[in-house]
Amino acid sequence: LLHMRDTAFDLIEQEGGVQYTIDNFDEDYNPTEIAFRIFGTFRVPLFMSSPDAGSLLLLDDNDMPMINEDTPWVDIPFEVLIPHSATAENPAATIEYGHGLFGTKGQIESGHFATFMNTYNYIFFGTDLQGMSDPDETAVRDALSSGKFSAVQTMWDRLHQGFLNHLVMLRMMKTSFAQDEMFGPYIKADEAHFYGISQGGIMGSVIMATSPDVERGALGVLGQAYSFLLFRSVDFDPFLIVIRVFYQDYRMVQLLIGMAQMPWDRVEASGYAHHVGSNNLPGVTPRAVLMRAAIGDHQV
């Protein structure tokens, strides 16, 4: 993931910064709290066999991720919400949002978020976490239904691209989008944060540990490691049913998930949480993180 980050940022710098397109925006989405709801795409180097769910990382002779020669760039959808409190005289800091299990960027539209944004002057923005977003759920189910557990590799591979997209989006909001002729004046370009809930809380440690552009974060109802929390989670039940069609001995299922933790470490909190506050990765400074637990949580 660090190799992908550094390679992508070098290519983006050669392109003159993160390129983005605003597809549409509206001013009537939430007249009380939100001034602008914005939809667009931003360009990210593609390290996958295709941009679609079910794809795999492309690896070079050293087993390191490499750019897709046929499709070197991909347009990634994003959404931004700017509250009424943000003005040219009072620009708002930005918060990248991490959505829940197999969710989408649209979760930033939750009503209480709008009130929070307008009350405390924050801009929310988000994109789907490829690998564990809505389109990936079918790919994961299909992989498990094949009876070949290793086919779930697509999830771990695509999470690499998903996290890269989030790192590039953070850079975009602090640079090129903050210079947008129409929306840039509302953005406080030198202050960006991360907020994730459930899956977003779990995965937030990866972003906090690898992004050079985020100041601090809040992680809600989080946990780690996946191999530990899955068997405690009601959300795992539908996937467990499929797995047990092919692996009926429950001890084998435990072994499979335990083995799966090794590739998962590359793209979940267990591989990165110890790099957030100290022991930082290259290019990253120590960050403060607020963790908000939920006692008796039956999902995480």
Side-chain angles (χ1 to χ4, degrees), residues 1 163 167 202-211 265-270 272-273 276 281:
L1 182 56
F163 282 121
L167 300 182
I202 298 167
M203 298 307 203
S205 292
V206 184
I207 294 169
M208 298 300 298
T210 56
S211 172
D265 279 343
R266 300 183 180 190
V267 279
E268 75 116 306
S270 290
Y272 294 87
V276 175
L281 297 170

PDB file of all heavy atoms in Angstrom, residues 1 163 167 202-211 265-270 272-273 276 281:
ATOM      1  N   LEU A   1       0.836  -1.201   0.000  1.00  0.00           N
ATOM      2  CA  LEU A   1       0.000   0.000   0.000  1.00  0.00           C
ATOM      3  C   LEU A   1       0.874   1.256   0.000  1.00  0.00           C
ATOM      4  O   LEU A   1       0.568   2.232  -0.689  1.00  0.00           O
ATOM      5  CB  LEU A   1      -0.938  -0.011   1.213  1.00  0.00           C
ATOM      6  CG  LEU A   1      -1.911   1.169   1.335  1.00  0.00           C
ATOM      7  CD1 LEU A   1      -2.765   1.304   0.084  1.00  0.00           C
ATOM      8  CD2 LEU A   1      -2.798   1.009   2.557  1.00  0.00           C
ATOM      9  N   PHE A 163      -8.165   1.956  -0.484  1.00  0.00           N
ATOM     10  CA  PHE A 163      -7.455   2.857   0.420  1.00  0.00           C
ATOM     11  C   PHE A 163      -6.660   3.901  -0.351  1.00  0.00           C
ATOM     12  O   PHE A 163      -6.586   5.062   0.056  1.00  0.00           O
ATOM     13  CB  PHE A 163      -6.542   2.065   1.355  1.00  0.00           C
ATOM     14  CG  PHE A 163      -7.275   1.413   2.482  1.00  0.00           C
ATOM     15  CD1 PHE A 163      -7.246   0.039   2.657  1.00  0.00           C
ATOM     16  CD2 PHE A 163      -8.010   2.169   3.387  1.00  0.00           C
ATOM     17  CE1 PHE A 163      -7.930  -0.570   3.700  1.00  0.00           C
ATOM     18  CE2 PHE A 163      -8.694   1.576   4.438  1.00  0.00           C
ATOM     19  CZ  PHE A 163      -8.651   0.203   4.592  1.00  0.00           C
ATOM     20  N   LEU A 167      -6.741   8.007   0.056  1.00  0.00           N
ATOM     21  CA  LEU A 167      -5.560   8.851   0.269  1.00  0.00           C
ATOM     22  C   LEU A 167      -5.494   9.954  -0.784  1.00  0.00           C
ATOM     23  O   LEU A 167      -5.173  11.106  -0.471  1.00  0.00           O
ATOM     24  CB  LEU A 167      -4.289   8.004   0.222  1.00  0.00           C
ATOM     25  CG  LEU A 167      -4.172   6.885   1.257  1.00  0.00           C
ATOM     26  CD1 LEU A 167      -2.835   6.166   1.117  1.00  0.00           C
ATOM     27  CD2 LEU A 167      -4.347   7.412   2.671  1.00  0.00           C
ATOM     28  N   ILE A 202     -13.104   0.625  11.874  1.00  0.00           N
ATOM     29  CA  ILE A 202     -12.064  -0.395  11.802  1.00  0.00           C
ATOM     30  C   ILE A 202     -10.975   0.033  10.826  1.00  0.00           C
ATOM     31  O   ILE A 202      -9.780   0.004  11.123  1.00  0.00           O
ATOM     32  CB  ILE A 202     -12.664  -1.744  11.354  1.00  0.00           C
ATOM     33  CG1 ILE A 202     -13.701  -2.252  12.361  1.00  0.00           C
ATOM     34  CG2 ILE A 202     -11.567  -2.784  11.132  1.00  0.00           C
ATOM     35  CD1 ILE A 202     -14.541  -3.403  11.847  1.00  0.00           C
ATOM     36  N   MET A 203     -11.409   0.451   9.635  1.00  0.00           N
ATOM     37  CA  MET A 203     -10.468   0.750   8.563  1.00  0.00           C
ATOM     38  C   MET A 203      -9.806   2.123   8.711  1.00  0.00           C
ATOM     39  O   MET A 203      -8.831   2.423   8.023  1.00  0.00           O
ATOM     40  CB  MET A 203     -11.188   0.673   7.217  1.00  0.00           C
ATOM     41  CG  MET A 203     -11.743  -0.706   6.895  1.00  0.00           C
ATOM     42  SD  MET A 203     -10.495  -2.010   7.039  1.00  0.00           S
ATOM     43  CE  MET A 203     -11.191  -3.263   5.974  1.00  0.00           C
ATOM     44  N   GLY A 204     -10.317   2.951   9.603  1.00  0.00           N
ATOM     45  CA  GLY A 204      -9.756   4.289   9.760  1.00  0.00           C
ATOM     46  C   GLY A 204      -8.293   4.286  10.160  1.00  0.00           C
ATOM     47  O   GLY A 204      -7.541   5.193   9.786  1.00  0.00           O
ATOM     48  N   SER A 205      -7.867   3.266  10.890  1.00  0.00           N
ATOM     49  CA  SER A 205      -6.462   3.196  11.296  1.00  0.00           C
ATOM     50  C   SER A 205      -5.537   3.122  10.089  1.00  0.00           C
ATOM     51  O   SER A 205      -4.406   3.628  10.128  1.00  0.00           O
ATOM     52  CB  SER A 205      -6.225   1.984  12.196  1.00  0.00           C
ATOM     53  OG  SER A 205      -6.861   2.135  13.443  1.00  0.00           O
ATOM     54  N   VAL A 206      -5.988   2.478   9.013  1.00  0.00           N
ATOM     55  CA  VAL A 206      -5.160   2.373   7.811  1.00  0.00           C
ATOM     56  C   VAL A 206      -4.930   3.760   7.217  1.00  0.00           C
ATOM     57  O   VAL A 206      -3.807   4.134   6.869  1.00  0.00           O
ATOM     58  CB  VAL A 206      -5.816   1.445   6.770  1.00  0.00           C
ATOM     59  CG1 VAL A 206      -4.901   1.276   5.562  1.00  0.00           C
ATOM     60  CG2 VAL A 206      -6.151   0.098   7.380  1.00  0.00           C
ATOM     61  N   ILE A 207      -6.001   4.536   7.122  1.00  0.00           N
ATOM     62  CA  ILE A 207      -5.893   5.879   6.554  1.00  0.00           C
ATOM     63  C   ILE A 207      -5.096   6.788   7.471  1.00  0.00           C
ATOM     64  O   ILE A 207      -4.236   7.560   7.028  1.00  0.00           O
ATOM     65  CB  ILE A 207      -7.305   6.440   6.282  1.00  0.00           C
ATOM     66  CG1 ILE A 207      -7.977   5.613   5.185  1.00  0.00           C
ATOM     67  CG2 ILE A 207      -7.246   7.916   5.889  1.00  0.00           C
ATOM     68  CD1 ILE A 207      -9.440   5.894   4.998  1.00  0.00           C
ATOM     69  N   MET A 208      -5.345   6.706   8.773  1.00  0.00           N
ATOM     70  CA  MET A 208      -4.622   7.545   9.719  1.00  0.00           C
ATOM     71  C   MET A 208      -3.126   7.253   9.708  1.00  0.00           C
ATOM     72  O   MET A 208      -2.305   8.134   9.957  1.00  0.00           O
ATOM     73  CB  MET A 208      -5.171   7.345  11.131  1.00  0.00           C
ATOM     74  CG  MET A 208      -6.631   7.739  11.310  1.00  0.00           C
ATOM     75  SD  MET A 208      -6.944   9.474  10.943  1.00  0.00           S
ATOM     76  CE  MET A 208      -5.921  10.265  12.171  1.00  0.00           C
ATOM     77  N   ALA A 209      -2.767   6.001   9.426  1.00  0.00           N
ATOM     78  CA  ALA A 209      -1.356   5.607   9.458  1.00  0.00           C
ATOM     79  C   ALA A 209      -0.633   5.871   8.145  1.00  0.00           C
ATOM     80  O   ALA A 209       0.602   5.917   8.128  1.00  0.00           O
ATOM     81  CB  ALA A 209      -1.233   4.128   9.811  1.00  0.00           C
ATOM     82  N   THR A 210      -1.361   6.029   7.047  1.00  0.00           N
ATOM     83  CA  THR A 210      -0.714   6.111   5.732  1.00  0.00           C
ATOM     84  C   THR A 210      -0.884   7.445   5.026  1.00  0.00           C
ATOM     85  O   THR A 210      -0.116   7.757   4.118  1.00  0.00           O
ATOM     86  CB  THR A 210      -1.242   5.007   4.796  1.00  0.00           C
ATOM     87  OG1 THR A 210      -2.677   5.105   4.703  1.00  0.00           O
ATOM     88  CG2 THR A 210      -0.872   3.625   5.321  1.00  0.00           C
ATOM     89  N   SER A 211      -1.863   8.254   5.427  1.00  0.00           N
ATOM     90  CA  SER A 211      -2.086   9.520   4.737  1.00  0.00           C
ATOM     91  C   SER A 211      -1.181  10.624   5.282  1.00  0.00           C
ATOM     92  O   SER A 211      -1.173  10.878   6.489  1.00  0.00           O
ATOM     93  CB  SER A 211      -3.550   9.970   4.870  1.00  0.00           C
ATOM     94  OG  SER A 211      -3.702  11.289   4.360  1.00  0.00           O
ATOM     95  N   ASP A 265      -4.096  -8.364   7.171  1.00  0.00           N
ATOM     96  CA  ASP A 265      -3.247  -7.430   7.916  1.00  0.00           C
ATOM     97  C   ASP A 265      -2.761  -6.278   7.042  1.00  0.00           C
ATOM     98  O   ASP A 265      -2.468  -5.196   7.543  1.00  0.00           O
ATOM     99  CB  ASP A 265      -2.026  -8.156   8.496  1.00  0.00           C
ATOM    100  CG  ASP A 265      -2.356  -8.897   9.785  1.00  0.00           C
ATOM    101  OD1 ASP A 265      -3.401  -8.601  10.389  1.00  0.00           O
ATOM    102  OD2 ASP A 265      -1.557  -9.770  10.175  1.00  0.00           O
ATOM    103  N   ARG A 266      -2.645  -6.520   5.752  1.00  0.00           N
ATOM    104  CA  ARG A 266      -2.151  -5.478   4.845  1.00  0.00           C
ATOM    105  C   ARG A 266      -3.169  -4.376   4.618  1.00  0.00           C
ATOM    106  O   ARG A 266      -2.808  -3.302   4.138  1.00  0.00           O
ATOM    107  CB  ARG A 266      -1.774  -6.103   3.498  1.00  0.00           C
ATOM    108  CG  ARG A 266      -0.691  -7.167   3.590  1.00  0.00           C
ATOM    109  CD  ARG A 266      -0.322  -7.675   2.212  1.00  0.00           C
ATOM    110  NE  ARG A 266       0.726  -8.699   2.281  1.00  0.00           N
ATOM    111  CZ  ARG A 266       1.358  -9.173   1.208  1.00  0.00           C
ATOM    112  NH1 ARG A 266       1.038  -8.714   0.003  1.00  0.00           N
ATOM    113  NH2 ARG A 266       2.281 -10.097   1.337  1.00  0.00           N
ATOM    114  N   VAL A 267      -4.425  -4.646   4.926  1.00  0.00           N
ATOM    115  CA  VAL A 267      -5.482  -3.678   4.614  1.00  0.00           C
ATOM    116  C   VAL A 267      -6.543  -3.618   5.715  1.00  0.00           C
ATOM    117  O   VAL A 267      -7.734  -3.504   5.440  1.00  0.00           O
ATOM    118  CB  VAL A 267      -6.152  -3.995   3.254  1.00  0.00           C
ATOM    119  CG1 VAL A 267      -5.317  -3.463   2.104  1.00  0.00           C
ATOM    120  CG2 VAL A 267      -6.391  -5.507   3.089  1.00  0.00           C
ATOM    121  N   GLU A 268      -6.120  -3.712   6.964  1.00  0.00           N
ATOM    122  CA  GLU A 268      -7.043  -3.485   8.073  1.00  0.00           C
ATOM    123  C   GLU A 268      -6.260  -3.023   9.295  1.00  0.00           C
ATOM    124  O   GLU A 268      -5.023  -2.967   9.282  1.00  0.00           O
ATOM    125  CB  GLU A 268      -7.909  -4.728   8.351  1.00  0.00           C
ATOM    126  CG  GLU A 268      -7.206  -5.875   9.042  1.00  0.00           C
ATOM    127  CD  GLU A 268      -7.796  -6.150  10.424  1.00  0.00           C
ATOM    128  OE1 GLU A 268      -7.874  -5.214  11.232  1.00  0.00           O
ATOM    129  OE2 GLU A 268      -8.168  -7.321  10.678  1.00  0.00           O
ATOM    130  N   ALA A 269      -6.984  -2.708  10.355  1.00  0.00           N
ATOM    131  CA  ALA A 269      -6.396  -2.008  11.495  1.00  0.00           C
ATOM    132  C   ALA A 269      -5.214  -2.743  12.117  1.00  0.00           C
ATOM    133  O   ALA A 269      -4.263  -2.107  12.592  1.00  0.00           O
ATOM    134  CB  ALA A 269      -7.476  -1.776  12.555  1.00  0.00           C
ATOM    135  N   SER A 270      -5.237  -4.075  12.134  1.00  0.00           N
ATOM    136  CA  SER A 270      -4.176  -4.816  12.816  1.00  0.00           C
ATOM    137  C   SER A 270      -2.799  -4.545  12.216  1.00  0.00           C
ATOM    138  O   SER A 270      -1.788  -4.642  12.902  1.00  0.00           O
ATOM    139  CB  SER A 270      -4.466  -6.319  12.772  1.00  0.00           C
ATOM    140  OG  SER A 270      -5.564  -6.613  13.604  1.00  0.00           O
ATOM    141  N   TYR A 272      -1.884  -1.612  10.969  1.00  0.00           N
ATOM    142  CA  TYR A 272      -1.573  -0.186  10.917  1.00  0.00           C
ATOM    143  C   TYR A 272      -1.791   0.574  12.217  1.00  0.00           C
ATOM    144  O   TYR A 272      -1.212   1.640  12.399  1.00  0.00           O
ATOM    145  CB  TYR A 272      -2.413   0.480   9.812  1.00  0.00           C
ATOM    146  CG  TYR A 272      -2.057  -0.004   8.432  1.00  0.00           C
ATOM    147  CD1 TYR A 272      -2.659  -1.139   7.899  1.00  0.00           C
ATOM    148  CD2 TYR A 272      -1.102   0.659   7.671  1.00  0.00           C
ATOM    149  CE1 TYR A 272      -2.324  -1.594   6.641  1.00  0.00           C
ATOM    150  CE2 TYR A 272      -0.758   0.215   6.407  1.00  0.00           C
ATOM    151  CZ  TYR A 272      -1.379  -0.917   5.888  1.00  0.00           C
ATOM    152  OH  TYR A 272      -1.026  -1.375   4.647  1.00  0.00           O
ATOM    153  N   ALA A 273      -2.606   0.071  13.125  1.00  0.00           N
ATOM    154  CA  ALA A 273      -2.943   0.832  14.335  1.00  0.00           C
ATOM    155  C   ALA A 273      -1.699   1.216  15.128  1.00  0.00           C
ATOM    156  O   ALA A 273      -1.626   2.299  15.718  1.00  0.00           O
ATOM    157  CB  ALA A 273      -3.909   0.031  15.210  1.00  0.00           C
ATOM    158  N   VAL A 276       0.035   4.690  14.151  1.00  0.00           N
ATOM    159  CA  VAL A 276      -0.726   5.938  14.126  1.00  0.00           C
ATOM    160  C   VAL A 276      -0.157   6.976  15.085  1.00  0.00           C
ATOM    161  O   VAL A 276       0.196   8.084  14.688  1.00  0.00           O
ATOM    162  CB  VAL A 276      -2.214   5.679  14.444  1.00  0.00           C
ATOM    163  CG1 VAL A 276      -2.973   7.004  14.540  1.00  0.00           C
ATOM    164  CG2 VAL A 276      -2.847   4.807  13.362  1.00  0.00           C
ATOM    165  N   LEU A 281       4.907   5.550   9.824  1.00  0.00           N
ATOM    166  CA  LEU A 281       5.375   5.124   8.516  1.00  0.00           C
ATOM    167  C   LEU A 281       5.977   6.314   7.764  1.00  0.00           C
ATOM    168  O   LEU A 281       5.714   7.471   8.119  1.00  0.00           O
ATOM    169  CB  LEU A 281       4.210   4.517   7.730  1.00  0.00           C
ATOM    170  CG  LEU A 281       3.609   3.251   8.349  1.00  0.00           C
ATOM    171  CD1 LEU A 281       2.318   2.859   7.645  1.00  0.00           C
ATOM    172  CD2 LEU A 281       4.609   2.098   8.304  1.00  0.00           C
TER     173      LEU A 281
END
